[in-house]
Amino acid sequence: MIHCEILLVEDGQSVRKYLQNNVPDLIFLDLHLPKNSGETLVSEIRSTKQLDKSRLIILSADALQIKRLEKRADATLLKPVRLANLLIICEEVALVR
């Protein structure tokens, strides 16, 4: 069983602001966020030293975009996401630590 605290943010600006002062264990990032490109946020997350240990899971309905970015993520999920797949990915990413 996975125990976690979940925080939802509405747009790329909110993601950026939250990550300035917080270091989450796991980040689910939809690539199609308002106010910032998900691709830009992936670059920012991966280049921020304090987020080195944060796991990044990229979500998108765009299979080509996921393919292009999959090497920069700990895991990827193609939308629509099935709960069973989400739980498997969470467990796999948690075990990689």
Side-chain angles (χ1 to χ4, degrees), residues 56-91:
L56 177 61
I57 300 176
I58 294 174
L59 298 99
S60 181
D62 185 338
L64 293 175
Q65 195 173 29
I66 280 189
K67 186 73 173 160
R68 190 172 61 249
L69 295 171
E70 69 185 347
K71 291 182 180 174
R72 302 178 73 194
D74 294 290
T76 58
L77 286 168
L78 188 61
K79 296 190 308 186
V81 176
R82 291 185 36 218
L83 179 59
N85 292 346
L86 177 64
L87 294 174
I88 289 167
I89 292 291
C90 288
E91 288 178 1

Side-chain angles (χ1 to χ4, degrees), residues 10-13 32-36:
E10 296 179 6
D11 56 49
Q13 262 182 322
H32 297 285
L33 290 172
K35 299 185 182 176
N36 279 104

Side-chain angles (χ1 to χ4, degrees), residues 9 18 30 40 57 62 86:
V9 291
Y18 177 79
D30 190 318
T40 300
I57 300 176
D62 185 338
L86 177 64

